[in-house]
Amino acid sequence: MNFHSALKFGAVTLLFLCAGTPAHAQSPKMKMTTETPPYLVTPNTVETRIGTLKFIDGFPDEATAAKVYDNLDFQRGVQAYLAALPAVSIEAFLKGFAEFGSVNQTVLISEQLLNAKSLFLTANTTTPYTLLYLSTKDGPLVVEIPPEVLGPIDDAWFRWVSDVGITGPDKGKGGKYLLLPPGYTGAVPDGYFVARPRTIGNLLFFRTFLRDGDPKPGVDNVKKNLKVYSLSQAANPPPMKFVDISGKAFNTIGPGDYSLFEFVNRVIQDEPIDALDPNTLGLFAAIGIEKGKPFAPDVRLKKILTEAAAVGDATARSVTYRTRMKDAYFYPNSAWVTPFVGGSYKFEQDGAVNLDAKNMFFFYATGVTPAMTMKMVGEGSQYAGAFVDAKGNPLDGSKTYRLHMPPNIPAKDFWSFTLYDNQTRSMLQTDQQSPAVGSLTKGLLVNADGSVDVYFGPKAPSEKESNWVQTIPGKGWNTLLRLYGPLEPWFNRTWRPGEIEPM
């Protein structure tokens, strides 16, 4: 067959194939021909959600390949967005932290409690926070923890490293912790609680507690006893710099748009390559985020990743605010959900990571520790969140709601509700300094039977001001119930909070 005859034959064949006849039907039966199962054959035309895909005997045409690659980059972009949420949360904290000083020696502390001016994911207003960013870049790091504190150390990918304080190995007595750099093989001295994080950067945050309503004793305890220094500086530790962040307006929350990819790129560049598993590294590499290489997507890919970020954000908000996970709910026909679906701080169920549970938590909250999932009667804390009212409708800042807390609220220490902005997941910014109410609220009205009614709305119901949290018309909100020192009726579900009822 000469060249012109071949072209003619090819054109006729292509026309015939595009008409919808399976390519294999035109193949002559050869000596080695066997029956081909239909499920192995791709039709010449396939209708999909990304459009019409066309093939020539199983070979995608140029337009189809372009659509598929755009879609593949988009899918990987969305999944990379969700996989990045934990690291971006830590990186955003580091970025906000940098306003106040250097790592290790700078301590952020809420001497007068946090309030709504600061942007923190679901922070509370009832216990003073102490926060540090710790780096083992220069070698093993000693952290002297004060007594009577509660909190975790999490690494740069927001994985739990160790608890400190009451639920840590020091059991609330305080002690010296030694953080070793990734891959450290040197000698480890005695006398330390040793932790081996997989990353160089780590977040330490813990709570102190009010004494007769006063945060000062706990704050003074931290200032007196908290020290951080390199092991090589043990004989002469450098001074600590304490910064009171109470009432300060600054941001520690990661972005929800394309710049999220730039945030996670910084983490990839700064941390060891083996701090993350190869599959997740491959996901980031597929969209151009690789250690030792610049992240510089071309115009096509940047446009796709911008859309992927928008869908990633919508995904995180949907799995959080309108979760379809049945295991997320504490009770049948209830709005109350757990931040740790499945009861695992690793978000694992039956040997597999529950991806929606993990995405829900890291979009909404901060701080990973087994203490938040373990049953510890009378110790630690437990949480329940609500994003909708008793009728399943989003909580509306223009409406007034009532929530009934039955008698014998199962909290040995105290309980509280804090309201959060659906956009920022930070404390709702209203005329109230602290958008919260609870057992520590001065003047809280308690019913004769020991029950408590709590109100949420733009204006306080008459004579209920002490039990009311302000909301804003046109602004959506959600809330977390916190139980400090949770008691057995919480764990066995014989006690449950009421639903948020429109009035």
Side-chain angles (χ1 to χ4, degrees):
M1 182 182 296
N2 61 31
F3 178 73
H4 293 290
S5 298
L7 282 179
K8 183 177 180 181
F9 177 79
V12 171
T13 303
L14 179 59
L15 180 64
F16 188 69
L17 293 179
C18 289
T21 304
H24 73 284
Q26 300 306 308
S27 301
K29 189 167 183 177
M30 311 298 286
K31 290 182 178 179
M32 300 300 293
T33 298
T34 59
E35 192 67 29
T36 302
Y39 55 77
L40 293 183
V41 178
T42 297
N44 296 322
T45 301
V46 181
E47 298 297 333
T48 73
R49 65 169 53 202
I50 65 172
T52 301
L53 307 181
K54 296 181 179 180
F55 301 86
I56 304 166
D57 194 20
F59 192 100
D61 68 12
E62 189 173 345
T64 291
K67 286 180 183 178
V68 167
Y69 280 122
D70 283 353
N71 182 60
L72 186 59
D73 290 338
F74 173 75
Q75 289 182 355
R76 287 171 172 166
V78 172
Q79 294 306 315
Y81 181 101
L82 298 172
L85 287 173
V88 168
S89 190
I90 294 283
E91 180 67 13
F93 172 80
L94 178 59
K95 195 171 186 297
F97 185 97
E99 296 181 28
F100 300 102
S102 59
V103 299
N104 294 341
Q105 265 63 63
T106 303
V107 183
L108 307 188
I109 186 167
S110 56
E111 296 187 19
Q112 299 301 319
L113 305 178
L114 287 177
N115 62 38
K117 285 191 174 182
S118 303
L119 295 180
F120 280 90
L121 287 178
T122 55
N124 76 53
T125 66
T126 49
T127 55
Y129 280 97
T130 299
L131 306 104
L132 298 90
Y133 194 85
L134 305 174
S135 173
T136 60
K137 185 178 181 180
D138 296 327
L141 193 68
V142 179
V143 184
E144 295 190 13
I145 294 295
E148 299 178 7
V149 303
L150 173 69
I153 301 173
D154 292 324
D155 75 8
W157 286 95
F158 234 135
R159 295 170 300 207
W160 179 72
V161 175
S162 174
D163 276 4
V164 301
I166 295 169
T167 56
D170 68 274
K171 304 299 182 183
K173 298 178 180 179
K176 294 181 179 180
Y177 287 72
L178 183 63
L179 271 64
L180 301 177
Y184 181 78
T185 57
V188 179
D190 295 331
Y192 296 93
F193 300 113
V194 178
R196 294 181 177 270
R198 286 179 277 177
T199 59
I200 295 168
N202 300 273
L203 173 63
L204 164 63
F205 72 97
F206 57 78
R207 301 176 180 91
T208 53
F209 299 95
L210 303 181
R211 190 173 298 172
D212 297 325
D214 185 3
K216 191 174 186 301
V219 171
D220 289 345
N221 170 37
V222 173
K223 289 185 172 182
K224 178 182 177 181
N225 294 300
L226 178 63
K227 294 181 177 64
V228 179
Y229 49 88
S230 296
L231 184 60
S232 60
Q233 298 175 304
N236 188 26
M240 304 299 290
K241 175 185 177 182
F242 291 91
V243 179
D244 182 10
I245 57 173
S246 302
K248 283 187 167 58
F250 68 105
N251 178 38
T252 67
I253 301 176
D257 59 8
Y258 169 84
S259 59
L260 173 140
F261 297 114
E262 296 171 331
F263 270 58
V264 76
N265 178 60
R266 290 200 295 269
V267 181
I268 293 288
Q269 303 307 324
D270 291 345
E271 295 296 343
I273 195 71
D274 59 359
L276 208 57
D277 66 276
N279 282 338
T280 307
L281 285 172
L283 181 62
F284 290 125
I287 61 169
I289 299 175
E290 297 182 79
K291 189 174 181 65
K293 297 181 180 179
F295 174 52
D298 58 22
V299 173
R300 180 197 70 89
L301 183 55
K302 186 171 183 178
K303 181 180 179 182
I304 288 171
L305 293 181
T306 299
E307 184 181 1
V311 173
D313 177 68
T315 303
R317 291 177 180 276
S318 295
V319 300
T320 302
Y321 297 150
R322 293 186 180 274
T323 184
R324 63 182 181 181
M325 294 179 286
K326 294 181 180 179
D327 290 348
Y329 295 93
F330 279 104
Y331 320 100
N333 302 313
S334 173
W336 294 107
V337 297
T338 173
F340 288 98
V341 180
S344 167
Y345 74 96
K346 294 182 178 179
F347 311 98
E348 294 178 352
Q349 291 180 289
D350 300 324
V353 173
N354 183 330
L355 295 176
D356 283 354
K358 183 178 179 183
N359 294 335
M360 175 185 181
F361 181 87
F362 286 111
F363 172 75
Y364 186 66
T366 297
V368 173
T369 165
M372 291 183 177
T373 61
M374 295 169 58
K375 179 180 177 180
M376 297 188 297
V377 177
E379 295 183 17
S381 53
Q382 288 287 304
Y383 305 82
F387 306 107
V388 297
D389 66 17
K391 298 180 180 179
N393 298 315
L395 297 168
D396 183 346
S398 65
K399 296 180 179 179
T400 299
Y401 300 88
R402 172 181 171 271
L403 188 156
H404 182 69
M405 294 283 279
N408 303 312
I409 299 170
K412 184 189 73 172
D413 300 321
F414 62 90
W415 58 267
S416 70
F417 289 98
T418 306
L419 268 57
Y420 300 100
D421 186 322
N422 285 344
Q423 290 283 14
T424 65
R425 293 90 72 203
S426 295
M427 283 186 256
L428 191 67
Q429 295 181 331
T430 66
D431 292 331
Q432 292 178 316
Q433 182 173 330
S434 300
V437 64
S439 57
L440 299 181
T441 301
K442 292 182 180 180
L444 184 76
L445 300 175
V446 179
N447 301 323
D449 63 354
S451 66
V452 177
D453 293 307
V454 175
Y455 301 89
F456 311 105
K459 295 182 179 180
S462 179
E463 300 182 357
K464 306 291 186 182
E465 288 82 1
S466 296
N467 292 39
W468 163 74
V469 186
Q470 186 179 20
T471 61
I472 309 169
K475 169 62 68 178
W477 58 276
N478 61 81
T479 190
L480 273 179
L481 165 63
R482 289 177 168 87
L483 301 171
Y484 280 87
L487 301 176
E488 184 63 36
W490 173 256
F491 294 104
N492 64 23
R493 311 288 169 87
T494 56
W495 182 95
R496 61 181 280 185
E499 301 299 311
I500 302 175
E501 303 275 358
M503 291 179 63

